[in-house]
Amino acid sequence: MLDTDIELGQSSSKSMPDHPYVESSEPESFYRDANAIKGMTGHPPSSPSSWVHVIPEEKDAPPRESLKEDPSTRPVVPPRTQKPQTKASTDDIDPKNLRTEHRNLKKEYEDARQELRTAWRENREQSLELRDLKKQNAHLKESLHTQADPKSYKDQIMSERRKFYEHVDLLEDHIAHLKHQLEKTKLHMDQLTFQTREANEEKAAYETKLQNLQKQNTRLNEDLTECRDDILRLQPPSQIPDSKIAEEYSSLYQQIASWVDDEADDTQSMEARMADLATDKEAPELLEAYLDADLIRLAKKYSDAEPLVLRYIIQLHLHRIILADDIYLFGLDEHNITMLRSVEHAMDALEPKRDTLTIQRWRSETLQALAKIDGFQSEQQRQATIVSKELWAALTYLLPELATDGESGWKRLHEMITTPAVRLATNMRFSTSCYRIIAHLPRNSSSSSSHGNNNVIYHPDIQRYTILDVATQKVLRQDSVLKIAEDGRIGEYVMVVQPLLLRMQRDSHGGIALCKPTVAIKLDEPMAKKAKGVRALGALSSWFGGEQEPARS
C-alpha cells in the first residue's frame, strides 16, 4: 500500500507541463494590430518578447524540474480571451485606443505573473510534502525488513541490551568514584572546620590584643601630646642671635655714612642754611629739636664737621621714632600696645607666678604672630614712608640741591636708611633678649665719674669708644700723638655719631656692649702728626663678652 503511494507520488512529479504563461509565443492580437501600428509610426512594433520577458526564477524557488506537478493539482487558468480580428485601415487607428490596449495588456501580464508566483509557491509546498513522505516510506521499509528477519531483530535487541548493561556498569563505577570523592571531601571539610575554629580563636585573641594595643596607643598619644605641649612650653622660641643684631646695627650706620657721603658733596649751601636756622620761621621743627646753638656754632667753625652733623640728625631721628626703648613695636597702634602691655602686667598675678623670661617669650611669640598679618605689614610700611618723607624734608632744607631729585631722592633714603632701621627694630623686639640703644654719651663711665665732668673725654675712653676728631674726622688711637693733661683729659664731647648698642642682662642692671659708640670730640690740642692706619668711618666695631656697661640712669 505504501509502496504504491510512493510510486504514484514519483510518477506524478516526473512530467509536469510548463506553465502556459511562460511560453515565448507572441499573442495573436499583436500580429493583428502590427500593420496598424506600422502605418501610424512608420516602424513595425517590437516583438512582445522584447518587453514581455519570461519571469526569472526566484532564489527560494525550486528547480524547474521540481515544478512539474500532477495536471490534476495544477490550478485552472482561464484561457485568454482573444478579440476578433478586424481589419482596420490606418485611418481608423486611434492612438488613445492603442495606449489603452497596451495598459490592458500590461495589467493582464502582471495578473498572469502573480498567478505564476502563486503556482510556484504551491508547487514548492507540495515538493516538501513529497520529500517528507519519501523519508517516511524509507523508514517504514527498513522497519518491515527488520521485522521480516527475526534473527537480525534478536541480535539487535541483544546488542541494545549489552549497551544498556555497559552503560549501567559505567554509571555504577562513576557512583562509586563520587562516593569516594564525597568521603574525601567530608574529611577535608572536617579538617577545614577544625582549622577555621582555631583561626577564629586566634582571631578573637588578636582582636582582644588589638583593642588593648589601641587603648595603649591612645594613652601614649595623649602622653605624647602632653609631652609636646610641655616641651613647647619649656623650649624657648627661636632666638635671633646677638651677632645678627650687631651686624644689622653696624650695617645701618654704614648705610647712613654712605648716603651722607654721596649726597652732601657741596656744604656751602648748608653753611648758609645753618646761619639762618635760628631766625628762619620756615625751618622744620625737626631741625630745631635736634640742633642746638653749640652744634650750629660748631658747624660754622668746622666746615668738615657738617657731614657729622647730618649723620647725627639722621641717627637721632631714627632713634626717637623707630629704635627707642619705649617703642613697643614700630607700626603697632596705641590701642593694641596698651592691650598687650596690660596682658603682660596681668601675667604677674597668675598662679604659679610667671617669671620675666616667660613673659618675654610670650611677648616674642605674640609679636612674631602679629608681624605675619598683612594689615600690620601695610601699616608698618605706611608709617616708615611717613618717617622717610619727614626726614627728607628736613635734610632738603639744609641741602637744597637734594630737592632736584624729586620723588626718587626720598625713595633712595627710604631704601638705604629707613627700611633697614625698621627691620632692625622689629628683630630686636622679636628677641627674648632686651636690647638698648644709647644715643648719647654714657654718663656714668669710670673715667668721667672719677673726675666729675660728664662732657670731658679722657685718654682711657679711646678703648671704650670710637672717637673722631671733629676738626679732621680722623679716628683717635692709643698710639696717636695727643696732648694729655695731668688728669688724662684730651678733649670735650661734642656729639654721638653712632650710638651704643647694649644687650641687657636679666640678673643685673648692666649690659654687654655689642657695638661701641662713635663719638665726635673737640681736642684740646690738635694732634701732632697724622694718625696711621685710619679706620673706615662707620666700620663694624663690636665684640661679645666684653666688659659691662652700666645702665642709663
Side-chain angles (χ1 to χ4, degrees):
M1 181 69 179
L2 184 61
D3 294 338
T4 306
D5 294 337
I6 294 173
E7 290 175 0
L8 289 175
Q10 292 177 353
S11 62
S12 63
S13 62
K14 286 182 181 180
S15 62
M16 178 180 175
D18 295 337
H19 200 282
Y21 287 98
V22 185
E23 295 179 359
S24 61
S25 60
E26 290 82 359
E28 296 179 359
S29 61
F30 174 80
Y31 296 103
R32 182 188 62 190
D33 298 331
N35 294 327
I37 296 173
K38 182 177 179 182
M40 294 177 62
T41 60
H43 300 284
S46 60
S47 176
S49 61
S50 63
W51 49 274
V52 182
H53 297 284
V54 177
I55 299 173
E57 296 182 357
E58 296 180 356
K59 293 183 180 180
D60 297 336
R64 190 168 180 83
E65 295 179 358
S66 63
L67 295 177
K68 296 179 180 181
E69 58 183 354
D70 190 359
S72 61
T73 62
R74 187 175 62 183
V76 178
V77 179
R80 182 179 299 176
T81 305
Q82 297 182 357
K83 296 181 180 181
Q85 297 181 359
T86 58
K87 294 182 181 180
S89 63
T90 58
D91 297 335
D92 298 335
I93 296 174
D94 189 0
K96 293 183 179 180
N97 295 332
L98 287 177
R99 285 194 294 271
T100 303
E101 290 182 1
H102 181 258
R103 285 194 299 271
N104 294 334
L105 287 174
K106 287 181 68 177
K107 184 176 180 182
E108 291 177 359
Y109 171 75
E110 293 296 334
D111 294 341
R113 185 177 180 182
Q114 185 67 26
E115 292 176 358
L116 179 60
R117 289 180 178 176
T118 303
W120 276 351
R121 283 193 294 271
E122 294 177 354
N123 188 23
R124 175 65 177 172
E125 294 176 356
Q126 293 176 0
S127 298
L128 295 175
E129 292 177 359
L130 180 61
R131 185 183 62 188
D132 295 338
L133 290 174
K134 286 181 179 181
K135 291 181 179 179
Q136 293 177 4
N137 190 18
H139 182 69
L140 292 174
K141 281 184 177 182
E142 185 178 357
S143 300
L144 291 175
H145 181 71
T146 303
Q147 293 177 1
D149 190 0
K151 184 177 180 181
S152 174
Y153 180 71
K154 185 177 181 180
D155 293 340
Q156 184 177 2
I157 292 176
M158 294 300 293
S159 174
E160 293 293 334
R161 184 176 296 174
R162 282 194 302 272
K163 291 180 180 179
F164 175 75
Y165 287 148
E166 290 176 357
H167 184 65
V168 170
D169 293 337
L170 291 175
L171 291 177
E172 290 178 351
D173 294 339
H174 185 64
I175 291 172
H177 176 71
L178 291 178
K179 288 181 178 180
H180 180 68
Q181 292 293 332
L182 179 60
E183 294 296 331
K184 291 176 62 177
T185 304
K186 287 182 178 180
L187 180 61
H188 184 62
M189 286 297 295
D190 293 338
Q191 293 177 356
L192 291 178
T193 303
F194 178 74
Q195 294 177 0
T196 303
R197 188 180 299 110
E198 290 182 347
N200 289 333
E201 293 176 356
E202 292 179 358
K203 179 182 177 182
Y206 281 123
E207 287 179 351
T208 304
K209 186 177 180 180
L210 178 61
Q211 292 177 358
N212 295 332
L213 291 176
Q214 287 178 349
K215 294 179 181 178
Q216 185 179 358
N217 187 29
T218 303
R219 289 194 300 269
L220 291 176
N221 285 332
E222 293 176 356
D223 295 341
L224 180 59
T225 303
E226 292 179 359
C227 292
R228 286 177 177 173
D229 295 339
D230 294 339
I231 292 174
L232 184 61
R233 286 191 293 267
L234 295 175
Q235 183 180 6
S238 57
Q239 177 66 34
I240 299 176
D242 292 341
S243 59
K244 183 177 181 180
I245 299 296
E247 182 180 357
E248 291 183 357
Y249 183 82
S250 299
S251 176
L252 170 63
Y253 286 95
Q254 288 181 17
Q255 292 285 87
I256 294 174
S258 298
W259 186 89
V260 170
D261 292 340
D262 294 338
E263 301 295 339
D265 294 335
D266 185 10
T267 59
Q268 294 180 357
S269 59
M270 183 176 175
E271 294 176 2
R273 290 287 188 175
M274 293 285 285
D276 300 335
L277 185 61
T279 59
D280 190 0
K281 296 182 180 181
E282 296 181 358
E285 296 180 359
L286 185 147
L287 296 179
E288 295 179 358
Y290 298 150
L291 295 179
D292 55 11
D294 295 336
L295 287 178
I296 295 175
R297 285 194 299 270
L298 180 68
K300 292 179 180 179
K301 182 177 181 180
Y302 303 104
S303 60
D304 293 338
E306 292 175 353
L308 296 179
V309 174
L310 292 176
R311 291 175 59 185
Y312 171 75
I313 294 172
I314 294 173
Q315 67 89 7
L316 202 60
H317 186 66
L318 294 179
H319 179 265
R320 185 175 68 88
I321 302 299
I322 299 175
L323 299 171
D325 299 336
D326 57 349
I327 298 176
Y328 196 84
L329 179 63
F330 179 77
L332 194 63
D333 60 282
E334 291 296 330
H335 175 72
N336 288 321
I337 292 175
T338 303
M339 182 188 67
L340 293 176
R341 290 187 186 276
S342 300
V343 172
E344 290 185 17
H345 292 310
M347 290 178 72
D348 293 336
L350 296 177
E351 293 295 338
K353 187 176 180 60
R354 271 55 172 179
D355 57 1
T356 305
L357 180 59
T358 302
I359 297 175
Q360 289 177 348
R361 289 175 179 173
W362 175 85
R363 183 198 304 131
S364 174
E365 293 181 350
T366 304
L367 294 182
Q368 290 184 44
L370 283 174
K372 298 295 183 180
I373 301 175
D374 295 337
F376 171 78
Q377 296 176 2
S378 301
E379 179 63 19
Q380 189 181 60
Q381 185 63 29
R382 186 186 69 83
Q383 293 186 20
T385 302
I386 294 174
V387 173
S388 298
K389 289 182 178 180
E390 290 178 352
L391 185 59
W392 174 257
L395 296 176
T396 305
Y397 177 83
L398 296 177
L399 300 174
E401 64 271 11
L402 295 179
T404 58
D405 295 338
E407 186 176 358
S408 62
W410 75 262
K411 286 186 176 180
R412 186 165 59 253
L413 174 69
H414 181 77
E415 293 176 359
M416 291 184 63
I417 298 176
T418 309
T419 301
V422 172
R423 183 167 54 249
L424 171 63
T426 304
N427 289 334
M428 290 170 62
R429 298 301 180 266
F430 286 170
S431 177
T432 56
S433 299
C434 180
Y435 298 97
R436 178 171 295 177
I437 297 177
I438 302 177
H440 55 81
L441 184 67
R443 300 294 183 180
N444 296 330
S445 62
S446 59
S447 59
S448 60
S449 61
S450 61
H451 296 88
N453 192 346
N454 292 330
N455 291 329
V456 175
I457 301 299
Y458 298 91
H459 191 268
D461 291 332
I462 296 178
Q463 297 179 355
R464 296 163 51 83
Y465 313 136
T466 300
I467 300 177
L468 296 175
D469 181 11
V470 72
T472 61
Q473 296 191 24
K474 294 181 179 179
V475 179
L476 303 184
R477 301 181 182 276
Q478 288 287 342
D479 56 353
S480 298
V481 180
L482 300 172
K483 182 179 181 181
I484 304 173
E486 294 180 358
D487 58 354
R489 173 185 171 125
I490 59 175
E492 184 180 357
Y493 162 78
V494 176
M495 58 183 167
V496 174
V497 179
Q498 176 176 325
L500 171 65
L501 175 62
L502 292 176
R503 178 171 62 82
M504 307 306 296
Q505 292 183 334
R506 300 185 183 94
D507 299 334
S508 63
H509 298 287
I512 299 176
L514 300 182
C515 289
K516 295 193 299 183
T518 301
V519 181
I521 69 171
K522 182 174 65 173
L523 292 174
D524 294 337
E525 295 290 339
M527 286 187 294
K529 63 177 180 179
K530 183 179 179 180
K532 297 181 180 179
V534 178
R535 296 179 60 188
L537 195 61
L540 176 61
S541 57
S542 64
W543 70 93
F544 305 101
E547 61 179 353
Q548 297 183 3
E549 293 291 342
R552 183 175 55 183
S553 57

